[in-house]
Amino acid sequence: MKPAGSKMKNNFAQDPAQALEQLMESFGSIVMRTAYFYTGDRHLAEDISQEVFLRAYRNWTSFRGESTVKTWLTAIAVNVCRDKTGVRMFTEQPTDPSRMESSRTINVEDEALDRLQKSEVLRHLLRLSLPHQEVLYLYYYLDLNTREIADATSSPEGTVRNRLHRAREAMAREMHREEKINDGFYRS
């Protein structure tokens, strides 16, 4: 059964050159944020984004549309990122991939609070194992469902659900542990 919606292949041009322009307009920021999440390097993320869209262009006519275009591009992005980074994500400074988005109409105070909250969550996220980081990013930041994550990561959907469940638990433990430290209950 094909998912419904405006992100299906039949809503894009059949010609790869025209489709590429539409894909870049619709999904450019998602691909860039995903690449940035995996690499932590804007220049490498830009290179990866170009490679993702080059692969999409080359394979557009063979894409059967069994998933949404967003899921297909995310799968390409994940694979290119894994290839370029040797399957490891960055662990230096937590950087919020949502900062890669184009400017929004939001007041400065709200934006600062939003970034602070996202940065705090991302800092905790980066303390988790790589599979947990990946599944939480794809689920919450890219808003993919478990079936789409399974398609994008070439994993069974049951594995994705299990990782998501365990990742949520690990994230809660991590945040609770930090909360206790900040409240002075214990030091580790």
Side-chain angles (χ1 to χ4, degrees):
M1 181 168 97
K2 289 185 179 181
S6 64
K7 303 303 180 194
M8 297 306 300
K9 182 180 180 184
N10 60 3
N11 292 323
F12 292 87
Q14 294 297 317
D15 175 56
Q18 290 175 338
L20 178 63
E21 189 174 321
Q22 293 173 312
L23 294 173
M24 291 175 74
E25 177 68 29
S26 298
F27 303 105
S29 67
I30 289 172
V31 170
M32 181 69 159
R33 286 190 339 243
T34 300
Y36 190 71
F37 178 77
Y38 275 85
T39 65
D41 181 307
R42 183 177 180 91
H43 297 292
L44 184 55
E46 289 171 353
D47 290 345
I48 288 171
S49 294
Q50 288 178 0
E51 187 167 338
V52 167
F53 285 111
L54 180 60
R55 287 185 187 187
Y57 172 77
R58 287 179 180 156
N59 295 302
W60 182 247
T61 56
S62 62
F63 172 51
R64 296 184 307 265
E66 294 175 353
S67 66
T68 64
V69 174
K70 178 181 177 182
T71 302
W72 180 63
L73 286 173
T74 301
I76 295 171
V78 166
N79 288 330
V80 172
C81 289
R82 286 176 174 174
D83 290 346
K84 296 278 186 196
T85 62
V87 188
R88 69 179 193 288
M89 292 186 277
F90 70 98
T91 56
E92 293 85 30
Q93 285 294 97
T95 307
D96 186 357
S98 68
R99 291 182 182 173
M100 300 297 293
E101 292 181 34
S102 58
S103 61
R104 298 172 282 177
T105 56
I106 188 169
N107 73 41
V108 176
E109 185 178 322
D110 288 344
E111 185 174 351
L113 289 173
D114 184 51
R115 284 185 178 181
L116 178 63
Q117 181 183 15
K118 285 182 178 179
S119 293
E120 284 295 309
V121 171
L122 191 61
R123 187 170 52 81
H124 293 297
L125 175 75
L126 293 174
R127 292 182 180 153
L128 303 180
S129 68
L130 295 178
H132 291 162
Q133 289 178 23
E134 182 176 67
V135 73
L136 288 174
Y137 173 76
L138 294 172
Y139 189 81
Y140 289 107
Y141 276 85
L142 293 190
D143 205 24
L144 298 179
N145 63 40
T146 56
R147 173 79 262 152
E148 292 169 325
I149 294 169
D151 290 344
T153 60
S154 301
S155 301
E157 188 173 4
T159 299
V160 170
R161 280 195 222 109
N162 187 29
R163 282 184 187 156
L164 186 58
H165 175 75
R166 292 186 188 279
R168 287 175 179 147
E169 288 177 340
M171 183 72 131
R173 281 191 307 272
E174 176 61 35
M175 293 177 87
H176 183 69
R177 184 185 71 77
E178 173 122 347
E179 183 179 292
K180 282 185 174 184
I181 290 171
N182 289 340
D183 289 344
F185 289 124
Y186 67 90
R187 303 269 182 225
S188 58

